[in-house]
C-alpha cells in the first residue's frame, strides 16, 4: 500500500472526526422536540428502506458463511424483517423517554450568596468501536442523538455492507430533520491501523466505547489515549442453591444458556449446590442436552451422560454458543468465591428459596447486575426500561450495567452571583 493512500485514509478519519466535532456543537443546542422528531424519522426510514438494508446485510452474511464464521456470530450479524422492526420500535420508545440533557441534578446556595446548579450535558463526540453487530450502528446513533452527542462509528469488516447501508438510511432521515446529518459518521476503512489512529484522537473524541469480545475490549483499553467507557465480556453464571425449586432452576438455566447463546448476557457456567445435585442434577443435564448443549463438567457432573471433563480454562471461557460448564459446589460461599474469581463482573444469578443465601449472594458477588430467581438474559437496556443501550459497562467509574441515556452525559456546574469576588 502506498504512503499516499495511507495518508488519504488517515485524512478521511480526521475529516469525519472533525465533521462530528463540528456537529456536536450544534447537537448541544438542539431541543428535545427536534431530537425526538429525528428519531421518529429514522424509525420510519428504516422500514421504508428495509429491502435495501436486508439486501446489503445478506452480502455480509454470505461472506461470513463463506469465510467459516461460526453460527453464533452469524446470528449476531444477521438482520431480518423482525429485527429491523424491533430496531424501529426501539427508536419510537426512545422518543418517549425523558431527555437527560439539562436535567438539574443538584441545586444549593453558598454562605457568600453564590447559587450553585449542577446539570447534565452531552459528552460531545463519542467513538464507537464494535464487531459484527449492525444493530449497534442504530442503537449507538439513536442514543447519541437523543443525548445531544455526535458519534463516530467504526464497525468490523464483516459487517461493512450492513453498516454503510444503515448509516446511509440514517442520513436520509436526518436530512429531513433539524439535526445535522454529520452528527453520525461511519469510518469505512476497517483496517486495524485506522482503529489504532482512532484510539489517539483526543483532540476530536471525548470518549471511546468498545463493544464486542474480550480481545477487542482489551485492545482498546490497553492502547487508547482517549478515555474509554469499558463494556465487558460476559462470563455469566447461574448458581442453583440447595433450596432452589427444581423446575424453576432448570427453566432459568435453560433460558440463560439457550434463548440466545451468542450474546454477552447468556449463561456460560452453572454452579450447583451438592445437596440440590443429589436429586436434580441429572434432570438439569438431560434438559440441557435435549437442547443440544455441550456440557463441560467436573467429576460429579461427568457421571451423567456425555460430559466433557472440565479444565481450569473452561471456568473462564465465554463460549457464546451451545456450550456450558457445570460445577458442583458445597456452599453459597464457594459459589461466590468461584464467581468472583472467574466472572467478568457482568451478570450473575442465584436460584434459591433461602433469604440468607440470597442476601449473601447479593452483597458479596461483584457484578454489574445480580439476579434472584431470574435469568441473566434480562441485562439489557430495553429490559431495564432504558430503551436501546450503548453497551453494558462492567467497570465502576462513571457508569455500570446497561448504559442508557444518562450514561452518555456528563455534568456542568452553573454558578450565579451578584458581584462576589474572592
Amino acid at each position: 500500500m502506498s504512503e499516499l493512500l495511507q495518508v488519504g485514509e488517515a485524512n478521511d478519519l480526521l475529516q469525519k472526526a472533525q465533521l462530528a466535532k463540528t456537529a456536536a456543537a450544534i447537537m448541544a443546542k438542539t431541543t428535545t422536540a427536534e431530537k425526538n422528531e429525528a428519531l421518529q424519522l429514522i424509525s420510519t426510514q428504516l422500514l421504508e428502506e428495509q429491502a435495501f438494508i436486508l439486501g446489503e446485510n445478506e452480502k455480509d452474511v454470505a461472506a461470513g458463511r463463506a469465510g467459516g464464521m461460526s453460527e453464533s456470530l452469524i446470528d449476531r450479524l444477521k438482520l431480518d424483517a423482525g429485527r429491523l422492526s424491533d430496531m424501529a420500535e426501539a427508536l419510537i420508545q426512545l422518543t418517549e423517554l425523558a431527555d437527560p440533557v439539562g436535567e438539574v441534578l443538584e441545586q444549593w446556595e453558598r454562605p457568600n450568596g453564590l447559587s450553585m446548579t449542577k446539570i447534565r450535558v452531552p459528552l460531545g463526540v463519542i467513538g464507537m468501536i464494535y464487531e459484527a453487530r449492525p444493530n449497534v450502528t442504530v442503537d449507538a446513533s439513536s442514543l447519541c442523538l437523543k443525548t445531544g452527542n455526535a458519534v463516530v462509528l467504526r464497525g468490523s469488516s464483516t459487517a461493512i455492507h450492513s453498516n454503510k447501508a444503515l448509516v446511509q438510511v440514517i442520513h436520509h432521515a436526518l436530512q429531513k430533520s433539524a439535526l445535522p446529518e454529520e452528527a453520525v459518521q461511519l469510518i469505512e476503512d476497517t483496517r486495524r491501523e485506522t482503529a489504532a489512529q482512532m484510539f489517539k484522537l483526543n483532540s476530536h473524541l471525548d470518549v471511546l466505547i468498545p463493544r464486542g469480545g474480550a480481545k477487542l475490549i482489551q485492545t482498546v483499553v490497553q492502547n487508547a489515549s482517549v478515555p474509554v467507557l469499558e463494556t465487558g465480556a460476559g462470563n455469566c453464571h447461574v448458581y442453583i442453591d440447595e433450596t432452589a425449586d427444581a423446575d424453576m432452576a432448570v427453566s432459568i438455566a435453560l433460558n440463560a444458556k439457550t434463548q440466545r447463546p451468542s450474546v454477552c448476557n447468556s449463561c456460560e457456567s452453572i454452579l450447583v449446590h451438592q445437596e440440590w445435585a443429589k436429586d436434580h442434577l441429572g434432570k438439569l443435564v438431560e434438559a440441557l442436552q435435549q437442547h443440544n448443549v455441550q456440557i463441560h463438567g467436573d467429576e460429579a457432573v461427568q457421571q451423567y451422560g456425555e460430559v466433557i471433563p472440565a479444565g481450569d480454562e473452561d471456568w473462564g471461557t465465554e463460549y457464546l454458543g451451545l456450550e456450558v460448564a457445570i460445577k458442583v459446589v458445597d456452599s453459597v460461599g464457594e459459589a461466590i468465591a468461584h464467581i468472583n474469581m472467574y466472572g467478568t463482573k457482568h451478570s450473575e444469578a442465584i436460584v434459591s428459596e433461602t433469604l440468607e443465601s440470597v442476601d449473601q449472594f447479593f452483597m458479596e458477588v461483584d457484578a454489574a447486575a445480580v439476579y434472584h430467581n431470574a435469568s441473566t438474559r434480562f441485562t439489557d437496556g430495553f429490559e431495564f426500561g432504558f430503551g436501546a443501550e450503548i453497551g453494558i459497562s462492567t467497570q465502576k467509574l462513571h457508569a455500570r450495567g446497561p448504559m442508557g441515556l444518562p450514561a452518555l452525559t456528563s455534568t456542568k456546574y452553573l454558578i450565579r452571583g451578584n458581584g462576589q469576588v474572592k
Side-chain angles (χ1 to χ4, degrees):
M1 183 176 290
S2 71
E3 182 179 350
L4 180 61
L5 182 58
Q6 291 178 14
V7 170
E9 288 166 342
N11 286 340
D12 183 60
L13 171 64
L14 289 172
Q15 288 170 1
K16 289 186 174 180
Q18 183 58 53
L19 286 170
K21 186 174 181 178
T22 302
I26 300 171
M27 287 296 302
K29 299 182 288 186
T30 54
T31 67
T32 301
E34 289 171 337
K35 291 184 286 189
N36 285 342
E37 181 190 29
L39 295 176
Q40 291 169 342
L41 288 166
I42 295 170
S43 176
T44 301
Q45 202 76 30
L46 285 173
L47 298 179
E48 287 182 356
E49 299 197 50
Q50 174 179 296
F52 167 60
I53 295 168
L54 296 183
E56 293 301 294
N57 176 249
E58 184 53 42
K59 295 177 183 177
D60 291 327
V61 172
R65 287 208 165 100
M69 182 182 287
S70 69
E71 282 304 311
S72 63
L73 290 180
I74 290 289
D75 178 61
R76 288 188 173 205
L77 175 63
K78 186 173 178 58
L79 297 175
D80 55 31
R83 289 184 178 179
L84 270 182
S85 178
D86 289 344
M87 289 158 64
E89 175 59 26
L91 282 159
I92 298 302
Q93 292 186 13
L94 204 53
T95 67
E96 298 168 355
L97 297 177
D99 183 352
V101 176
E103 178 188 356
V104 175
L105 299 175
E106 297 179 68
Q107 199 164 18
W108 68 100
E109 187 169 313
R110 297 294 296 146
N112 62 5
L114 289 177
S115 173
M116 307 281 190
T117 305
K118 182 181 181 182
I119 65 169
R120 290 192 186 276
V121 295
L123 286 170
V125 183
I126 295 171
M128 281 293 302
I129 297 182
Y130 53 107
E131 294 178 325
R133 296 188 65 172
N135 65 292
V136 175
T137 301
V138 176
D139 289 350
S141 298
S142 60
L143 284 162
C144 289
L145 294 173
K146 175 78 177 193
T147 48
N149 294 292
V151 63
V152 178
L153 304 162
R154 194 276 187 185
S156 66
S157 59
T158 52
I160 188 62
H161 293 96
S162 306
N163 291 336
K164 288 170 67 175
L166 288 167
V167 169
Q168 181 175 318
V169 169
I170 290 169
H171 283 173
H172 289 165
L174 290 180
Q175 288 164 7
K176 306 171 188 176
S177 79
L179 273 55
E181 67 176 283
E182 294 82 6
V184 178
Q185 296 292 329
L186 175 67
I187 305 304
E188 297 179 12
D189 175 10
T190 59
R191 295 179 308 124
R192 292 180 180 177
E193 293 84 354
T194 305
Q197 291 173 340
M198 191 173 171
F199 296 168
K200 309 294 184 182
L201 281 183
N202 297 64
S203 59
H204 292 78
L205 304 180
D206 293 284
V207 67
L208 272 176
I209 303 177
R211 187 164 172 183
K215 184 177 180 181
L216 168 70
I217 294 164
Q218 287 308 307
T219 296
V220 176
V221 170
Q222 292 169 9
N223 294 284
S225 58
V226 176
V228 176
L229 241 177
E230 183 178 352
T231 62
N235 185 24
C236 305
H237 299 74
V238 171
Y239 165 58
I240 301 174
D241 195 29
E242 178 180 5
T243 59
D245 177 87
D247 290 337
M248 180 191 293
V250 171
S251 174
I252 288 172
L254 276 177
N255 178 265
K257 178 67 264 180
T258 67
Q259 197 267 336
R260 195 176 177 193
S262 65
V263 294
C264 63
N265 59 16
S266 65
C267 168
E268 304 293 11
S269 291
I270 303 171
L271 305 177
V272 180
H273 192 288
Q274 61 186 5
E275 293 302 317
W276 191 91
K278 289 178 182 178
D279 295 324
H280 308 299
L281 181 56
K283 178 181 178 180
L284 172 65
V285 170
E286 181 181 0
L288 288 165
Q289 290 176 335
Q290 285 177 352
H291 283 76
N292 300 313
V293 178
Q294 188 176 69
I295 297 172
H296 304 254
D298 64 6
E299 290 185 6
V301 182
Q302 290 169 31
Q303 63 182 300
Y304 298 96
E306 297 180 5
V307 175
I308 301 170
D312 285 344
E313 69 281 359
D314 288 297
W315 309 128
T317 297
E318 187 182 19
Y319 295 109
L320 298 174
L322 289 175
E323 292 184 74
V324 72
I326 304 180
K327 180 181 178 67
V328 174
V329 297
D330 62 15
S331 66
V332 63
E334 184 182 350
I336 291 168
H338 181 96
I339 289 170
N340 287 341
M341 176 176 290
Y342 294 103
T344 53
K345 307 184 190 301
H346 193 294
S347 301
E348 310 293 356
I350 177 174
V351 187
S352 178
E353 298 303 315
T354 303
L355 183 59
E356 292 80 7
S357 295
V358 176
D359 288 345
Q360 183 181 355
F361 195 87
F362 274 10
M363 182 66 67
E364 297 180 16
V365 166
D366 185 11
V370 186
Y371 293 85
H372 172 218
N373 288 354
S375 170
T376 58
R377 284 284 289 116
F378 288 101
T379 305
D380 173 82
F382 179 79
E383 297 292 347
F384 275 38
F386 299 162
E389 70 182 31
I390 200 90
I392 297 170
S393 170
T394 55
Q395 65 183 33
K396 297 181 180 180
L397 295 177
H398 177 66
R400 198 177 196 201
M403 293 187 289
L405 299 173
L408 298 182
T409 63
S410 184
T411 58
K412 178 189 288 186
Y413 289 95
L414 307 179
I415 302 96
R416 294 177 174 87
N418 53 8
Q420 287 90 339
V421 294
K422 185 173 181 180

